[in-house]
Each structure stands twice: as structure tokens, then as C-alpha cells.
């Protein structure tokens, strides 16, 4: 699993994929997963290129991430550490609300 990949779901049934090494406020992918809200997301520890989603009706779907999103780079932990040390700026996220 890539430490800088972050997923979140929306009440509109989308899965937003963030690559924190690229941007913490702009998703690199938007997966239309369901007509219902997505309540659950889970990475597969043995197969880091697969993610499961579950919607409000209990429908579970399996998604395959691209190699770019699933292969860890050598300096990724350094990037993640740098991100965690930055102060939070809420103005970066005004367009996501």
C-alpha cells in the first residue's frame, strides 16, 4: 500500500482518491461507485492494488487501482512526514465542501 494514497467517500456514491504526494486538496481520481452513499472503504493488505467499497444498501464492490496509485516510491515516507509537519490551512479545502 502506498502511504500517500488516501481515499474518502461521499454521500453521492463517489470514491475520491487523493495522492498526498501530489496534492492534499485535489483528488487524482473520482470513482463513481454507487447511486447510494458509500459508508465503507477498505484497502486489501495482500493486494494493495485492490480496494473494497460498501454502500448504504450493503452492496460491496471491489475496485482495482492503477499501478501509479498502488506502487510505493522510495521517498514516499519522507513526503508523508513532511506533510504531517506542515500547519493546517483550511482555505486549501474550501472547494471540497
Amino acid at each position: 500500500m502506498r502511504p500517500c494514497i488516501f481515499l474518502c467517500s461521499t454521500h453521492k456514491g463517489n470514491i475520491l482518491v487523493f495522492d498526498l504526494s501530489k496534492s492534499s486538496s485535489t483528488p487524482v481520481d473520482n470513482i463513481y461507485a454507487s447511486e447510494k452513499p458509500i459508508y465503507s472503504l477498505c484497502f486489501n493488505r495482500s493486494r494493495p492494488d485492490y480496494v473494497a467499497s460498501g454502500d448504504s444498501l450493503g452492496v460491496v464492490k471491489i475496485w482495482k487501482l492503477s499501478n501509479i496509485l498502488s506502487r510505493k516510491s522510495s521517498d514516499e515516507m519522507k513526503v508523508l512526514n513532511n506533510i504531517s509537519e506542515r500547519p493546517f490551512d483550511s482555505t486549501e479545502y474550501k472547494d471540497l465542501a
Side-chain angles (χ1 to χ4, degrees):
M1 270 182 283
R2 283 195 47 210
C4 286
I5 294 299
F6 178 81
L7 302 179
C8 66
S9 61
T10 71
H11 68 283
K12 294 181 178 179
N14 294 316
I15 300 170
L16 303 178
V17 182
F18 291 86
D19 183 345
L20 299 177
S21 67
K22 308 279 185 229
S23 170
S24 60
S25 61
T26 304
V28 294
D29 200 0
N30 183 352
I31 302 167
Y32 178 71
S34 175
E35 292 179 5
K36 301 295 180 187
I38 300 295
Y39 287 146
S40 179
L41 293 169
C42 184
F43 282 98
N44 184 323
R45 290 185 186 268
S46 355
R47 297 284 309 266
D49 51 337
Y50 285 93
V51 173
S53 67
D55 70 16
S56 64
L57 294 178
V59 176
V60 174
K61 294 181 181 177
I62 307 298
W63 305 93
K64 184 170 181 1
L65 298 176
S66 70
N67 287 339
I68 293 169
L69 296 174
S70 59
R71 294 209 179 153
K72 184 167 56 169
S73 66
S74 59
D75 65 337
E76 196 150 2
M77 286 306 294
K78 182 179 173 184
V79 169
L80 192 59
N81 286 333
N82 288 341
I83 292 169
S84 69
E85 292 172 359
R86 286 192 318 220
F88 179 72
D89 178 5
S90 63
T91 59
E92 265 186 89
Y93 304 95
K94 65 179 172 23
D95 292 336
L96 292 178

